[in-house]
Amino acid sequence: MRWLRYGPDAALVECESLAEMSAVRAAVVTAALPDLVEVVPGARTVLIAARPGSTGLDAARRLIESADLEAVDGGESREITIDVRYDGEDLDLVARTAGVTADEVVELHTGATYTVAFTGFAPGFGYLTGLPEPLQQSRLDTPRTRVPAGSVAIAGEFTGVYPRSSPGGWRLLGHTDAVLFDSRAERPALLAPGDRVRFRSVR
């Protein structure tokens, strides 16, 4: 792990793995240090911003360096269920690649409990970990120029839901009517780091 200053009031923690990143994020968030104003996780990094002129960054560094990251309690998290129609364009491709049937792909995807590791790419897009190994497949060789909003997809070790229509190269399993991002809502994004997510198959 490396601690890099990121301007006068922020630091970037570079982590060795996704698991280490999640533990660092959880340790800082659950400590609720008063002078921190923002904690932004990424695939292998955590950006920590402090109130200008405060000692928040020093407190965060001491916390992280003294924490047993393998035993960090992520604290209380929300549990969210997303209904999915498993009719995606790549469902059969995913099944062939995994060596299973399309129905077994659905069983695998709905049988797991996922954790939102971080968000990015588009407002409301959560990168969910916990994808069963047979479904951990590469992105498409040629990305689509348009992926419909609500598309439920997989790529690498992640699964996620496209919150709005956009280009994308993830393999599409199905669609949901859930609203992932609404700028007018009190809580604009449905998913936040640390949330637990389950997918439920519907007709």
Side-chain angles (χ1 to χ4, degrees):
M1 183 191 318
R2 289 203 307 164
W3 176 279
L4 304 173
R5 288 304 293 256
Y6 208 74
D9 302 304
L12 189 70
V13 184
E14 291 187 340
C15 302
E16 296 294 330
S17 66
L18 183 63
E20 186 175 73
M21 178 283 295
S22 296
V24 169
R25 183 205 66 81
V28 174
V29 169
T30 55
L33 299 175
D35 288 323
L36 297 190
V37 295
E38 195 167 19
V39 178
V40 184
R44 299 290 186 275
T45 61
V46 181
L47 177 67
I48 301 170
R51 186 170 290 107
S54 73
T55 59
L57 285 183
D58 292 334
R61 184 167 189 170
R62 287 195 300 271
L63 171 73
I64 293 167
E65 290 179 345
S66 64
D68 180 358
L69 296 178
E70 293 186 1
V72 168
D73 180 2
E76 195 170 320
S77 62
R78 297 183 306 153
E79 294 190 5
I80 299 164
T81 299
I82 297 177
D83 289 339
V84 181
R85 298 183 304 280
Y86 284 90
D87 56 1
E89 295 178 46
D90 301 317
L91 183 61
D92 290 338
L93 171 62
V94 170
R96 289 196 304 273
T97 303
V100 299
T101 66
D103 286 343
E104 287 171 324
V105 170
V106 176
E107 290 175 6
L108 285 167
H109 197 251
T110 57
T113 299
Y114 303 93
T115 301
V116 182
F118 59 100
T119 59
F121 172 63
F125 190 98
Y127 288 78
L128 280 58
T129 59
L131 188 66
E133 193 277 333
L135 302 183
Q136 295 184 18
Q137 302 180 12
S138 63
R139 298 167 184 252
L140 297 172
D141 292 336
T142 303
R144 292 181 171 90
T145 57
R146 182 182 179 277
V147 175
S151 293
V152 178
I154 59 173
E157 62 190 307
F158 301 110
T159 187
V161 184
Y162 285 78
R164 63 186 184 192
S165 175
S166 68
W170 289 30
R171 300 187 182 204
L172 306 183
L173 299 183
H175 300 83
T176 181
D177 293 328
V179 177
L180 275 293
F181 186 80
D182 180 357
S183 61
R184 298 164 298 181
E186 182 177 347
R187 187 184 182 121
L190 175 64
L191 305 179
D195 287 347
R196 303 283 183 179
V197 179
R198 294 292 302 268
F199 293 101
R200 179 169 56 196
S201 177
V202 298
R203 298 293 181 185

